[in-house]
Amino acid sequence: MAERMGLENLGVDGMLGAASALSGSAEDYVNQPAIEMSWAIKAYDHAETYFNLLCAVDPALLRLTPEDDEIYAKCRESFPALDLRQIHEGDLKSTEAKEKWRSFCNTFEGKIQDFNFGTLLRLDSSLDYAEENTILVTRIQFFAIEIGRNREGLNSDIRNKYKATPKTKSS
């Protein structure tokens, strides 16, 4: 496990320093605005790129990962009644939903790069990204829901309703 995480290059001093830092109180750590801004830019760029793809390509033809078939099958097996057209916060964030989603997400650890990275998801599949139509989810939740929307034809009208926009400079 240490080799997979790159810890073999830390050395004794590095490991002692890491152990010391990890033994501290969580309250000692504060969010750094520069890191938060960097994450927000990356999440926005991902959302903008994905929506432009929906505007330009038939979503039924999109493959978001090499594991699309497995992700879709596991999602529908785990959440057969989930309405992909209109996601509600409780579908993802209620206590019961969190437990089910945690189990689902962990299935893809090691299979999907950055499977637990924060990603923006549209709540209503017929609308663009906007503050009132966006929620933060893990990357694997994004893939599960958007692969399902693409396969079930729920993103098909996006091309008729919206046009791709030139990528903005976020840096």
Side-chain angles (χ1 to χ4, degrees), residues 29 69 113 157 168:
Y29 295 95
D69 294 337
Q113 184 177 4
D157 290 337
T168 60

Side-chain angles (χ1 to χ4, degrees), residues 14-61:
M15 287 186 187
L16 288 173
S20 174
L22 291 173
S23 66
S25 170
E27 288 79 30
D28 294 340
Y29 295 95
V30 291
N31 293 337
Q32 296 177 350
I35 292 173
E36 287 181 0
M37 182 56 74
S38 177
W39 172 87
I41 289 168
K42 188 172 181 177
Y44 176 80
D45 285 348
H46 178 268
E48 182 180 45
T49 300
Y50 180 67
F51 197 77
N52 278 337
L53 269 173
L54 291 179
C55 292
V57 178
D58 179 357
L61 302 176

Side-chain angles (χ1 to χ4, degrees), residues 67-153:
E67 275 63 358
D68 280 12
D69 294 337
E70 180 184 356
I71 293 168
Y72 179 69
K74 180 76 173 164
C75 179
R76 277 314 193 191
E77 173 189 313
S78 300
F79 307 98
L82 182 63
D83 179 7
L84 298 177
R85 182 179 313 276
Q86 177 69 54
I87 299 292
H88 298 280
E89 186 172 350
D91 297 333
L92 304 167
K93 311 263 181 185
S94 72
T95 303
E96 180 183 339
K98 281 182 183 180
E99 281 304 310
K100 289 177 86 175
W101 276 108
R102 185 175 297 111
S103 175
F104 172 85
C105 294
N106 288 337
T107 303
F108 295 96
E109 184 175 10
K111 291 183 183 180
I112 301 296
Q113 184 177 4
D114 298 328
F115 80 104
N116 62 351
F117 188 81
T119 307
L120 301 174
L121 175 75
R122 295 170 301 127
L123 294 168
D124 183 332
S125 64
S126 69
L127 301 175
D128 195 349
Y129 284 94
E131 185 176 346
E132 64 279 355
N133 192 45
T134 304
I135 191 169
L136 179 65
V137 298
T138 63
R139 173 130 324 141
I140 191 62
Q141 287 174 306
F142 169 86
F143 284 145
I145 291 166
E146 288 297 339
I147 290 166
R149 287 174 169 176
N150 292 342
R151 292 190 176 198
E152 295 174 18

